[in-house]
Amino acid sequence: MATKAKRRFKEMRLRSEEKILDAALELFATNGYKNTSISEIAKKADISKGLMYNYFASKNALLRAIVTKAITEGHNLVQHAMEDYASPILELEHLVLDTFEHVKNNFQFWKLLTSLSHQQDIMASVQDLVAEEKKWSIQKGIELFTKLKAPNPRQSAFLLGAAMDGIMLHYIHMGDEYPIDEMAKNLIETFTHPASIHLG
Amino acid sequence: MATKAKRRFKEMRLRSEEKILDAALELFATNGYKNTSISEIAKKADISKGLMYNYFASKNALLRAIVTKAITEGHNLVQHAMEDYASPILELEHLVLDTFEHVKNNFQFWKLLTSLSHQQDIMASVQDLVAEEKKWSIQKGIELFTKLKAPNPRQSAFLLGAAMDGIMLHYIHMGDEYPIDEMAKNLIETFTHPASIHLG
Amino acid sequence: MATKAKRRFKEMRLRSEEKILDAALELFATNGYKNTSISEIAKKADISKGLMYNYFASKNALLRAIVTKAITEGHNLVQHAMEDYASPILELEHLVLDTFEHVKNNFQFWKLLTSLSHQQDIMASVQDLVAEEKKWSIQKGIELFTKLKAPNPRQSAFLLGAAMDGIMLHYIHMGDEYPIDEMAKNLIETFTHPASIHLG
Amino acid sequence: MATKAKRRFKEMRLRSEEKILDAALELFATNGYKNTSISEIAKKADISKGLMYNYFASKNALLRAIVTKAITEGHNLVQHAMEDYASPILELEHLVLDTFEHVKNNFQFWKLLTSLSHQQDIMASVQDLVAEEKKWSIQKGIELFTKLKAPNPRQSAFLLGAAMDGIMLHYIHMGDEYPIDEMAKNLIETFTHPASIHLG
DNA sequence: AATGAATGAGTTTTCATTCAT
DNA sequence: CATGAATGAAAACTCATTCAT
């Protein structure tokens, strides 16, 4: 009896939580954290203002929940993708493609994260979650270019990272108008082909 | 007499206006637009809250003034730098270096602009100013790569643009810890040397 | 069968009601009425929020129930204690000691009542219950001092009442650190011995 | 010029601050801290809600300001009054009378303080201010009864303290209906006359 | 009888903006 | 031109109470 009721309650909780997280992510991403009110979130999630506080202790806790969730998901995804590859070139190719795939599939989240990254005080409450992710990413790049026998792996990793972030930035701003797949292909060629594609 | 007095007033006016713009730029850039109060700006600019409204009709007008000013300055700078170059390679080199130089010299402004770019409603009030700038920039890139006989000038221009923005993004986040000059050198080589520097 | 089940239900009901009353009393007394939420009470009583409303129509009804219960108990106690004494001196002695005993045994309740007594609007809903109690208490004091042939029984009763309330106040604030028994002894001597104990 | 304007502003500030403090004191004292909203205070003080925050950082800061102000005033008053007396009996007489005088003149404040003393968490934010006051008071009492050669000065000081607090409590509850001056006289006699006044 | 999800009115707090001087 | 006191609308948050199950 009690079990049945409990299960039902759990489901209700989960559904509401999901609705709130989704609504908040979209609004935060589009209009910014400070610029989004709990009222707006509640309206979009189709719940009452008060209910939000049943699930998240504060607006900031809600933000952290979003970031935590997305980073966890993202981390798993990329780590999986990295497992076994025949050659470092293929590996680099997948690093780029998988990352962009993840960005495409989590458009709103990346928009939010990019937006957050410019607000010092808000970022502070999320910094720890993001910092680790970044370090891991650069480390992976350096390993790759070392395997590829690049003359300066660190430098190449940084440049690749910058180019990827730039592409993501443009993609995030322009959305599907931006030729992200083409850019990815181009990027991979630039970083793996001995002859530059840029000059004839 | 009157003239002298008038001139002094004008100078004071300019000085106050300048102080407000500077203070606001720094605070907006560091903490975000929404997160910065008029009180804070007034305190930092060492003027009264009320005085601000003598110079700018609203907080949003102040924001627009900052963006307008910086974009105008930036535009002049880059356009100047582009004038006469012996070869397109040199020209590309200068495009990259001058842009980064501008970012370095207007760190706060770029920080602000990057931050703003993620807040749809605020950006709306500034969008038109930025859009033109962007278009011009891409056009310039395409021209350059055409002169350089790149197989796909548009693609190369996009990739260069993305890489430059990525580098700027990292520089803006990390400040002087980021090896922006080294990155610039590297970037130029990648885009102008027939043999890739990435693979040995 | 039915009877047995009914009895069990009644017991459960009593147990839950008791748990709620105890939890609420402690929380109200410690943190104040307004400062205590139904959630806290429910958690402390180990029941659900909703169940509380099966037993008490509102938070205020719960408060009234607590006060009513404790006053009734207290009244019985003191009245019992007052029955037959050989001398008015002994009677006064018992009045003091029994009252303090009651306070010691109902510490939380007295704490609550003392706390409530300063909140006009809340007190309104409880006032009538308390007023009667007070009147009875003073009447008793006057009777006693009359029997004791005090020159001004009313005055003495008031002074004794004030001193007792003062001692109770201190006891309530300090808890068992306060030497309430010693104070009681002292108080009785002061009011029954012809020679003052205060000056040597 | 500037000076004149500044003086005017200071006066405005002072007046508003005073109005807020007075309104808040009365409401806190009558209805309790938690039970009083900023809106009510603003309405009573005839100012806008927002203005309160120009003067006090928070509702709690307002409370502390009230307590600090009253304790400081009270301390000065009593300390002054204690200076030079011909005999310890006269000194005790004045201790009692001056204290009651202070309570009468700061009725609202004492009502508030008595009310606060029962709410642990609120009291925490004010405790330090009050604790010192209490210690000083008891110390004074012990000194007095030592000079008066009471057999147990500490005990007598405690009893006097309790009686005084009890009288104040009743006075605070009943207001001017309570014969506080008569009680004071009676109290002094009880504690200074060798023969008890209670029994004929 | 019992649960806890959901509500909404009310509370504290913030801040762009106005205005008297 | 300059000041900062004052306002009020909107934001974050709390909580007694209701209700479907």
Side-chain angles (χ1 to χ4, degrees):
Chain A
M1 311 302 112
T3 320
K4 196 172 156 192
K6 261 188 193 165
R7 194 164 346 115
R8 191 170 46 81
F9 280 136
K10 204 170 217 167
E11 271 164 32
M12 284 172 79
R13 271 195 90 81
L14 242 49
R15 201 148 12 99
S16 288
E17 213 176 297
E18 201 75 30
K19 279 199 293 180
I20 295 170
L21 284 169
D22 288 351
L25 173 53
E26 185 169 338
L27 289 171
F28 285 167
T30 315
N31 302 326
Y33 172 75
K34 267 272 171 179
N35 226 4
T36 301
S37 72
I38 298 289
S39 290
E40 286 175 277
I41 296 172
K43 193 182 289 176
K44 190 171 191 89
D46 201 36
I47 53 146
S48 70
K49 242 184 317 179
L51 189 57
M52 203 224 85
Y53 290 90
N54 264 1
Y55 298 108
F56 306 96
S58 68
K59 193 183 172 187
N60 191 56
L62 172 57
L63 175 65
R64 282 188 69 90
I66 291 175
V67 175
T68 308
K69 189 184 160 202
I71 283 195
T72 310
E73 282 175 6
H75 201 67
N76 292 344
L77 211 100
V78 176
Q79 217 145 22
H80 258 288
M82 292 264 84
E83 266 160 24
D84 289 317
Y85 290 106
S87 75
I89 288 193
L90 271 181
E91 204 173 332
L92 183 144
E93 201 176 316
H94 271 92
L95 172 64
V96 171
L97 293 177
D98 291 346
T99 302
F100 285 174
E101 204 57 32
H102 186 245
V103 173
K104 278 160 71 180
N105 292 333
N106 297 273
F107 188 74
Q108 298 285 21
F109 169 69
W110 283 102
K111 206 167 167 182
L112 170 60
L113 207 62
T114 316
S115 133
L116 286 182
S117 66
H118 305 289
Q119 302 207 18
Q120 238 160 39
D121 56 344
I122 294 170
M123 209 48 200
S125 76
V126 156
Q127 199 68 275
D128 47 333
L129 296 170
V130 176
E132 199 199 358
E133 189 67 12
K134 264 191 187 163
K135 216 162 60 186
W136 179 86
S137 196
I138 286 187
Q139 193 46 44
K140 203 73 209 169
I142 295 178
E143 277 171 32
L144 259 177
F145 281 104
T146 305
K147 282 193 215 158
L148 284 165
K149 299 200 204 309
N152 192 336
R154 190 181 165 75
Q155 226 168 63
S156 293
F158 265 61
L159 194 54
L160 176 63
M164 284 175 73
D165 280 356
I167 290 171
M168 279 157 54
L169 194 68
H170 290 173
Y171 174 58
I172 279 165
H173 282 165
M174 299 172 53
D176 285 332
E177 292 175 45
Y178 189 77
I180 189 167
D181 295 325
E182 215 180 314
M183 294 299 289
K185 218 183 65 187
N186 226 237
L187 183 67
I188 292 166
E189 279 189 49
T190 302
F191 276 80
T192 53
H193 274 45
S196 168
I197 61 163
H198 298 294
L199 308 188
Chain B
M1 284 306 116
T3 322
K4 202 171 155 188
K6 255 188 204 167
R7 201 177 327 129
R8 215 185 33 237
F9 275 137
K10 208 167 208 170
E11 273 166 30
M12 281 173 67
R13 202 184 160 84
L14 277 174
R15 205 145 8 99
S16 283
E17 211 177 303
E18 201 74 32
K19 280 198 295 183
I20 296 170
L21 285 168
D22 287 352
L25 173 53
E26 185 170 339
L27 289 170
F28 285 168
T30 314
N31 303 326
Y33 174 74
K34 265 272 175 178
N35 227 2
T36 302
S37 72
I38 297 287
S39 289
E40 282 175 280
I41 296 172
K43 192 183 285 175
K44 192 172 188 91
D46 202 33
I47 55 143
S48 72
K49 247 188 305 184
L51 187 54
M52 208 223 79
Y53 287 85
N54 275 6
Y55 297 110
F56 305 96
S58 69
K59 192 185 175 186
N60 191 56
L62 172 56
L63 175 65
R64 280 187 69 87
I66 291 174
V67 176
T68 308
K69 186 185 159 202
I71 284 196
T72 309
E73 281 175 7
H75 202 66
N76 291 344
L77 209 100
V78 176
Q79 217 146 23
H80 257 285
M82 294 263 85
E83 268 159 21
D84 292 316
Y85 290 105
S87 75
I89 290 195
L90 271 180
E91 206 174 330
L92 184 144
E93 198 175 318
H94 271 92
L95 172 65
V96 171
L97 293 177
D98 291 347
T99 303
F100 285 175
E101 204 57 33
H102 188 244
V103 173
K104 278 160 74 178
N105 292 333
N106 298 272
F107 188 76
Q108 299 285 18
F109 168 70
W110 283 102
K111 207 167 167 180
L112 171 61
L113 205 64
T114 316
S115 135
L116 287 182
S117 65
H118 305 288
Q119 304 206 17
Q120 237 159 42
D121 57 345
I122 293 172
M123 211 47 199
S125 76
V126 153
Q127 200 69 272
D128 47 334
L129 296 170
V130 176
E132 197 199 358
E133 186 68 12
K134 263 189 187 165
K135 213 160 61 186
W136 179 87
S137 197
I138 286 186
Q139 194 46 46
K140 202 73 210 171
I142 296 179
E143 278 172 29
L144 258 177
F145 281 105
T146 306
K147 281 193 218 162
L148 283 165
K149 302 196 201 309
N152 192 336
R154 190 181 164 76
Q155 225 168 64
S156 293
F158 265 60
L159 194 54
L160 177 63
M164 284 175 73
D165 281 356
I167 290 171
M168 278 157 54
L169 194 69
H170 290 173
Y171 175 58
I172 279 164
H173 282 165
M174 299 172 54
D176 286 331
E177 290 175 48
Y178 190 76
I180 188 168
D181 295 324
E182 215 180 313
M183 294 300 288
K185 219 183 66 189
N186 224 238
L187 183 68
I188 292 168
E189 277 189 51
T190 303
F191 277 79
T192 55
H193 275 46
S196 168
I197 60 160
H198 298 293
L199 309 186
Chain C
M1 285 303 117
T3 321
K4 201 172 162 189
K6 256 190 202 165
R7 199 174 332 127
R8 214 187 32 237
F9 276 136
K10 208 166 208 169
E11 273 167 29
M12 282 173 66
R13 204 185 159 82
L14 278 174
R15 201 139 18 94
S16 284
E17 212 176 300
E18 200 74 31
K19 279 198 294 181
I20 295 170
L21 284 169
D22 287 352
L25 172 54
E26 184 169 341
L27 290 170
F28 285 167
T30 315
N31 303 325
Y33 174 74
K34 264 271 171 180
N35 228 2
T36 301
S37 71
I38 297 286
S39 289
E40 284 175 279
I41 296 172
K43 192 182 285 174
K44 192 171 190 92
D46 204 34
I47 54 142
S48 72
K49 248 187 307 184
L51 187 55
M52 206 223 81
Y53 287 86
N54 274 7
Y55 297 110
F56 305 96
S58 69
K59 193 185 173 185
N60 191 56
L62 173 56
L63 175 65
R64 281 187 68 89
I66 291 175
V67 175
T68 309
K69 186 185 161 203
I71 283 196
T72 310
E73 282 176 7
H75 202 66
N76 292 343
L77 210 100
V78 176
Q79 219 145 19
H80 257 286
M82 291 265 86
E83 270 160 22
D84 290 317
Y85 290 104
S87 75
I89 291 193
L90 270 182
E91 202 172 336
L92 184 145
E93 199 174 318
H94 270 93
L95 171 64
V96 172
L97 293 178
D98 290 348
T99 303
F100 286 175
E101 204 57 33
H102 186 244
V103 173
K104 278 161 74 179
N105 291 334
N106 296 276
F107 188 76
Q108 299 285 20
F109 168 71
W110 284 102
K111 207 168 167 178
L112 171 61
L113 206 63
T114 315
S115 136
L116 287 181
S117 66
H118 306 287
Q119 303 206 17
Q120 235 158 45
D121 58 343
I122 293 172
M123 212 47 201
S125 77
V126 154
Q127 200 68 272
D128 46 335
L129 295 170
V130 176
E132 195 199 359
E133 186 69 13
K134 262 191 189 163
K135 214 159 64 186
W136 178 86
S137 198
I138 285 186
Q139 194 46 46
K140 202 75 209 168
I142 294 177
E143 278 171 29
L144 259 177
F145 281 104
T146 306
K147 283 192 215 159
L148 283 166
K149 300 196 204 310
N152 192 336
R154 190 180 164 75
Q155 223 169 65
S156 292
F158 266 59
L159 194 54
L160 176 63
M164 283 175 75
D165 280 356
I167 289 171
M168 278 157 54
L169 195 68
H170 291 174
Y171 175 59
I172 279 165
H173 282 165
M174 300 173 51
D176 286 331
E177 290 174 48
Y178 189 77
I180 189 166
D181 295 324
E182 215 179 314
M183 295 298 290
K185 218 183 66 188
N186 225 238
L187 183 66
I188 292 168
E189 280 190 46
T190 302
F191 276 81
T192 52
H193 274 45
S196 167
I197 60 162
H198 297 294
L199 307 188
Chain D
M1 310 300 110
T3 319
K4 197 172 155 191
K6 261 186 194 165
R7 196 168 340 120
R8 189 170 47 80
F9 280 136
K10 204 168 217 166
E11 272 163 30
M12 284 172 77
R13 271 195 90 81
L14 243 48
R15 200 147 14 96
S16 288
E17 215 177 296
E18 201 75 29
K19 278 198 294 181
I20 296 170
L21 285 169
D22 288 352
L25 173 53
E26 184 170 340
L27 290 170
F28 285 168
T30 315
N31 303 326
Y33 173 75
K34 267 273 172 178
N35 224 5
T36 302
S37 73
I38 298 288
S39 291
E40 286 174 278
I41 296 172
K43 193 182 288 175
K44 189 170 193 89
D46 200 36
I47 54 147
S48 71
K49 244 187 312 180
L51 189 58
M52 202 225 87
Y53 289 88
N54 265 359
Y55 299 107
F56 306 97
S58 67
K59 193 183 172 185
N60 191 56
L62 172 57
L63 174 65
R64 282 187 69 90
I66 291 175
V67 175
T68 307
K69 188 184 159 201
I71 283 195
T72 309
E73 282 174 7
H75 202 67
N76 291 344
L77 211 100
V78 176
Q79 216 145 22
H80 259 286
M82 289 267 86
E83 268 158 24
D84 291 316
Y85 289 106
S87 74
I89 289 193
L90 271 181
E91 203 173 332
L92 184 143
E93 198 175 319
H94 271 93
L95 172 64
V96 171
L97 293 177
D98 290 346
T99 302
F100 285 174
E101 202 57 33
H102 187 243
V103 173
K104 278 161 72 179
N105 292 333
N106 297 274
F107 188 75
Q108 298 285 20
F109 169 70
W110 283 102
K111 206 167 168 181
L112 170 60
L113 206 63
T114 315
S115 132
L116 286 182
S117 66
H118 304 290
Q119 303 208 17
Q120 238 160 41
D121 57 343
I122 294 170
M123 209 48 199
S125 77
V126 156
Q127 200 69 274
D128 45 334
L129 296 170
V130 176
E132 199 199 356
E133 190 66 14
K134 264 191 188 163
K135 215 161 62 187
W136 179 86
S137 198
I138 286 187
Q139 194 46 45
K140 203 74 208 170
I142 295 179
E143 277 171 32
L144 260 177
F145 282 103
T146 306
K147 281 194 218 158
L148 285 166
K149 300 196 203 309
N152 193 335
R154 192 181 164 75
Q155 227 169 62
S156 294
F158 266 60
L159 194 55
L160 175 63
M164 283 175 74
D165 280 357
I167 290 170
M168 278 157 54
L169 194 69
H170 290 173
Y171 176 57
I172 280 164
H173 281 165
M174 300 173 53
D176 286 331
E177 293 174 45
Y178 190 77
I180 188 167
D181 294 323
E182 214 179 315
M183 294 299 289
K185 217 184 67 190
N186 224 236
L187 183 66
I188 292 167
E189 278 188 51
T190 304
F191 276 80
T192 54
H193 275 43
S196 167
I197 61 164
H198 298 294
L199 308 188

